[in-house]
Amino acid sequence: MANSKYEYVKREFEFHRHLPASNWIVVRIDGCHFHRFSELHAFEKPNDDRALRLMNACATSMLEKFPDIVIAYGVSDEYSFVFREKTEFYKRRESKNISLCVSYFTIVYGMKWKDFFPNNDLKEPPYFDGRVVCYPNINTIRDYLAWRQVDCHINNQYNTCFWALVKSGKTEKEAHQALKGTSSKDKNKLLLQQFQVNYNDEPAMFRKGSTVYRDKVKTDDCGNPIKRTREAITVSNFDLIGPEFWENHQYILGEASDYLCLGGKEKYGYEYVKKFDNIHRLPYSNWTIVRISACQFDQFSLIHSFDKPNDETALRLMNACASLMMEQFPDIIFGYGFDNEYSFVFQEKTELYQRDERLIISSCSSCFTSFYMMKWKEYFPSKELVQPPHFQVEVSCYPEPRIVCDYLSRRQSECHNRNQYTTCFWMLVKSGEGENKAKEILKVFFLSSFRSSFITYSN
Ligand code: GTP
Ligand code: MG
């Protein structure tokens, strides 16, 4: 099955957007439908300590997994990850960056769920969307983080008042009405006078959000003093708006020498910060294909002892996830998968996320990951999921159904080639050849077109 006939599909329609060099990359992840998710899992209102600590644990895992993340800041169901200015993470490819971050965050959320909610089973797959935004200098990054922390303060103060009123007997409508037009001062007064609550005594994690970064410490893991400083990933609830944290942690972003003069002109510049958000909408009247593929799958399949060359159960698990994707996203009209990948064709006129590419990429990658995690036990009842599976996503658009068909033919031809190769490879290995020797033999066979006669040879 010649693949070259379909090569044009890749050459002419698959593009990779690279994020601009010398910019700080921020990936902001946000829980999808967490209003419903938090109700379903009976989160405490307005803040659930366990849910927030679970988010912090996921952020910590992100810093462990991706060393180029220098700081993360989270509140409620969102987390922002700042990659260092000169990161070459997947050559700064936007789709890789966003899909891998969201997928990895999702899988850790699912795998750590039981540590924080031991008596509460996951009732629906948690999933997240994400956006990636570039900031050109330290000032704008600091403004960005300050903006998120101000948002945290505004929302948390409102929610604290709102739920205090509701718990005291007001209806939700009455509580909203009572808070309409109130200033920050009014809200503090209300809490103090009606509920004897000093807002500043509320836990810092609720008021300030959480910051995760590599701290320089002079103690070992048990807290004993050591001579040399070492880096330890730390979760704290510091103020990021004022200068103190940054003065004490200059190594995280570097020095922002003109920060004060810029900040003085437009206080914190939040409106300015929002302008960096760069939405790419997929072209209209095009068929969108989202291709999901597992990362580091060789290692994953080895650790989970998948059959070689094909593990039927693993393939059926992928198919089950694909079916769930079609239920979750009714605009998907067709799915095709093999090995560790799946392609989903969206109907031509889909308005999913108003065709915002980042949101489509991230939510598809997150959803698929979450389904994989939730379905694992059903397909592998006697195997523990020990390593987090995570998936990357590419999206491309095709103007005509004919090209969509050629895309699918290309994938199937790739399936054939790959499967023929791995079938031969594992036959040789099982017959006693070393893996390197098997590769060498196959090089010869696959260069000359004797593939079909190979099976005869190996027997
Ligand atoms: P989308 O992000 O647009 O999908 O909507 P969403 O439902 O996730 O809402 P949004 O992201 O705007 O806000 C997050 C929501 O998550 C809050 O409104 C809460 O309902 C819920 N949430 C987040 N953290 C907590 C928590 O600690 N306790 C409770 N009770 N709810 C929380
Ligand atoms: Mg949300």
Side-chain angles (χ1 to χ4, degrees), residues 61-71 82-84 87 89 214 231 233:
S61 296
M62 291 283 284
L63 264 81
E64 282 164 359
K65 172 84 179 164
F66 305 117
D68 279 2
I69 297 175
V70 290
I71 190 165
V82 181
F83 282 75
R84 67 184 181 86
T87 183
F89 183 67
R214 291 181 191 81
E231 286 191 337
I233 296 174

Side-chain angles (χ1 to χ4, degrees), residues 30-35 38 43-48 76-77:
D30 186 288
C32 291
H33 312 300
F34 258 51
H35 186 70
S38 61
F43 283 10
E44 280 163 28
K45 290 173 197 292
N47 291 292
D48 189 307
S76 181
D77 67 339

Side-chain angles (χ1 to χ4, degrees), residues 12-240:
E12 293 176 23
F13 295 96
E14 293 187 17
F15 303 107
H16 304 305
R17 189 177 306 112
H18 294 263
L19 296 163
S22 285
N23 267 256
W24 301 80
I25 297 170
V26 176
V27 176
R28 183 166 79 246
I29 288 172
D30 186 288
C32 291
H33 312 300
F34 258 51
H35 186 70
R36 190 186 62 216
F37 184 84
S38 61
E39 296 270 331
L40 196 61
H41 296 91
F43 283 10
E44 280 163 28
K45 290 173 197 292
N47 291 292
D48 189 307
D49 187 69
R50 301 159 301 176
L52 294 174
R53 284 189 295 109
L54 170 56
M55 292 289 285
N56 292 346
C58 297
T60 303
S61 296
M62 291 283 284
L63 264 81
E64 282 164 359
K65 172 84 179 164
F66 305 117
D68 279 2
I69 297 175
V70 290
I71 190 165
Y73 173 73
V75 42
S76 181
D77 67 339
E78 76 164 56
Y79 239 104
S80 298
F81 296 94
V82 181
F83 282 75
R84 67 184 181 86
E85 188 185 6
K86 300 220 180 313
T87 183
E88 276 302 323
F89 183 67
Y90 284 98
K91 299 196 175 109
R92 301 178 81 94
R93 260 168 69 176
E94 183 174 6
S95 56
K96 286 251 188 198
N97 189 309
I98 197 166
S99 55
L100 281 173
C101 284
V102 179
S103 176
Y104 196 73
F105 192 93
T106 307
I107 193 69
V108 178
Y109 193 94
M111 288 175 77
K112 285 191 186 286
W113 173 266
K114 271 271 164 248
D115 297 347
F116 294 87
F117 293 93
N119 304 317
N120 203 348
D121 281 341
L122 266 176
K123 294 185 183 68
E124 70 173 23
Y127 75 105
F128 299 82
D129 62 37
R131 54 200 84 211
V132 60
V133 185
C134 284
Y135 290 98
N137 51 42
I138 298 171
N139 294 337
T140 44
I141 274 290
R142 276 178 56 174
D143 279 346
Y144 170 81
L145 292 167
W147 169 49
R148 296 321 302 142
Q149 195 166 51
V150 166
D151 215 47
C152 163
H153 167 74
I154 293 169
N155 290 333
N156 189 59
Q157 199 190 30
Y158 186 95
N159 291 339
T160 308
C161 294
F162 177 83
W163 288 107
L165 288 168
V166 171
K167 283 173 191 171
S168 75
K170 283 208 181 332
T171 64
E172 297 199 2
K173 201 173 164 195
E174 286 165 348
H176 279 306
Q177 203 57 39
L179 292 171
K180 214 171 172 186
T182 53
S183 66
S184 174
K185 248 190 198 157
D186 297 336
K187 291 190 191 77
N188 276 350
K189 217 156 107 191
L190 180 146
L191 284 173
L192 203 58
Q193 289 179 351
Q194 289 193 34
F195 304 104
Q196 292 74 53
V197 169
N198 183 339
Y199 182 70
N200 288 328
D201 292 341
E202 289 290 289
M205 181 164 68
F206 300 170
R207 286 183 296 114
K208 301 279 181 202
S210 300
T211 305
V212 187
Y213 60 100
R214 291 181 191 81
D215 203 3
K216 296 208 185 289
V217 295
K218 280 196 152 188
T219 49
D220 63 17
D221 283 338
C222 307
N224 304 315
I226 51 168
K227 276 195 184 141
R228 275 207 201 139
T229 47
R230 68 179 181 97
E231 286 191 337
I233 296 174
T234 305
V235 181
S236 76
N237 313 106
F238 287 122
D239 183 290
L240 301 177

